[in-house]
Amino acid sequence: MSSPSELRLLGNFRLECDAGPVELCRNGQRLLAFVALRGHVSRTVLAGTLWPEVTENHARGSLRTTLWKLPHGDQPLIRCSGDSLVTAESLRVDVHDLAETALKVVQGCGPPLAGRLPQGLLGSEDLLPGWDEEWVLLERERLRQLRLHALDALAEALVHEGRPALALEAAWESVRTEPLRESAHRAAVAAHLAEGNLIEAVRHYRSFRRLLWDELRVEPSPRFSRMLVGHGCFPRAGDAGLTSG
């Protein structure tokens, strides 16, 4: 029995079959990536998306040719289901693993962390960087938002569980991904406050407030400010500082 195949779409495209990399032409990569991301797609939609500038007959011909060039082993990577194409059950796709992990965290039903952060949420690469087709851009943004929400939810949960150090790791990963995302900075400040590090919390708030003003000329939300007010610190109107009282 052949080993399961693995398709990596986070970072550069990579297909591995029987424990070895497989080289595909550009159209083969696009076809396999599209079907893997959708899971189930009609031939008409697939042909029209990948070859939008030619006639339908020409696009379907290109689709047939590209399918024929894909590796054919004991278990094809893509199988037919009526007029639709689906990925083989044996094909493992890293995007699906990331999405599943993120959804479990967001829904609050992930496995116990046992002192470790969920694999895949930290250090995850973008979906197919350098690919600029619309269907890739949409899926890339969907995954980015899902991962950010998962990191924010994870940081909040870890604060409540009394694990501020891990909470900070999750919060900083979110900050690195999107520096202007306030929820990530709130999570970092909450972790500092949970540790009793008021000075660190104030420093982080000030830094974010300056960044937000420099970039967008707006102030942090009242919700963010109230986090520090409750600890005896008060934002001064008109600047990026804080006073204690």
Side-chain angles (χ1 to χ4, degrees):
M1 180 181 295
S2 61
S3 304
S5 302
E6 182 176 358
L7 179 61
R8 301 180 187 177
L9 301 178
L10 299 173
N12 294 326
F13 181 100
R14 183 178 176 87
L15 173 66
E16 293 189 357
C17 297
D18 296 326
V22 178
E23 295 295 330
L24 296 182
C25 65
R26 177 64 172 176
N27 279 339
Q29 292 182 11
R30 294 166 67 238
L31 188 154
L32 188 56
F34 189 91
V35 178
L37 289 171
R38 297 291 181 91
H40 184 283
V41 60
S42 72
R43 288 176 179 267
T44 300
V45 170
L46 181 58
T49 302
L50 297 187
W51 294 276
E53 298 179 356
V54 300
T55 65
E56 182 178 347
N57 286 338
H58 190 169
R60 281 182 171 266
S62 297
L63 174 58
R64 287 192 297 270
T65 300
T66 305
L67 282 170
W68 180 80
K69 290 181 178 179
L70 290 179
H72 294 279
D74 296 336
Q75 296 181 343
L77 299 173
I78 295 178
R79 61 182 179 84
C80 298
S81 177
D83 190 49
S84 297
L85 298 173
V86 298
T87 50
E89 294 181 0
S90 61
L91 180 62
R92 181 174 179 178
V93 184
D94 59 355
V95 168
H96 297 168
D97 294 339
L98 172 61
E100 182 179 358
T101 298
L103 283 172
K104 285 181 178 179
V105 171
V106 170
Q107 293 166 353
C109 57
L113 297 177
R116 293 181 292 114
L117 296 173
Q119 186 177 7
L121 286 184
L122 270 68
S124 179
E125 297 182 83
D126 282 340
L127 173 70
L128 297 171
W131 291 34
D132 58 0
E133 293 166 276
E134 186 65 25
W135 58 272
V136 178
L137 299 178
L138 290 172
E139 192 66 21
R140 184 183 298 152
E141 181 60 16
R142 183 189 76 86
L143 283 170
R144 190 181 77 91
Q145 289 294 332
L146 178 58
R147 179 170 170 266
L148 287 171
H149 279 93
L151 288 168
D152 292 349
L154 179 61
E156 183 178 353
L158 287 167
V159 168
H160 289 310
E161 291 177 10
R163 297 180 177 181
L166 286 179
L168 271 173
E169 283 297 310
W172 272 113
E173 184 69 18
S174 184
V175 168
R176 283 192 289 268
T177 302
E178 180 46 77
L180 294 176
R181 185 179 177 86
E182 183 180 300
S183 56
H185 291 276
R186 289 201 308 264
V189 167
H192 286 309
L193 293 175
E195 289 184 304
N197 292 327
L198 181 58
I199 298 303
E200 292 288 351
V202 170
R203 183 181 294 120
H204 191 112
Y205 178 90
R206 284 175 171 170
S207 177
F208 175 65
R209 193 177 182 188
R210 283 193 295 268
L211 175 65
L212 203 60
W213 184 258
D214 290 343
E215 294 290 333
L216 302 175
R217 287 295 188 266
V218 297
E219 291 280 343
S221 70
R223 176 183 176 184
F224 199 176
S225 301
R226 286 195 296 269
M227 291 177 64
L228 293 166
V229 169
H231 287 76
C233 295
F234 306 92
R236 289 199 303 259
D239 65 19
L242 289 171
T243 58
S244 298

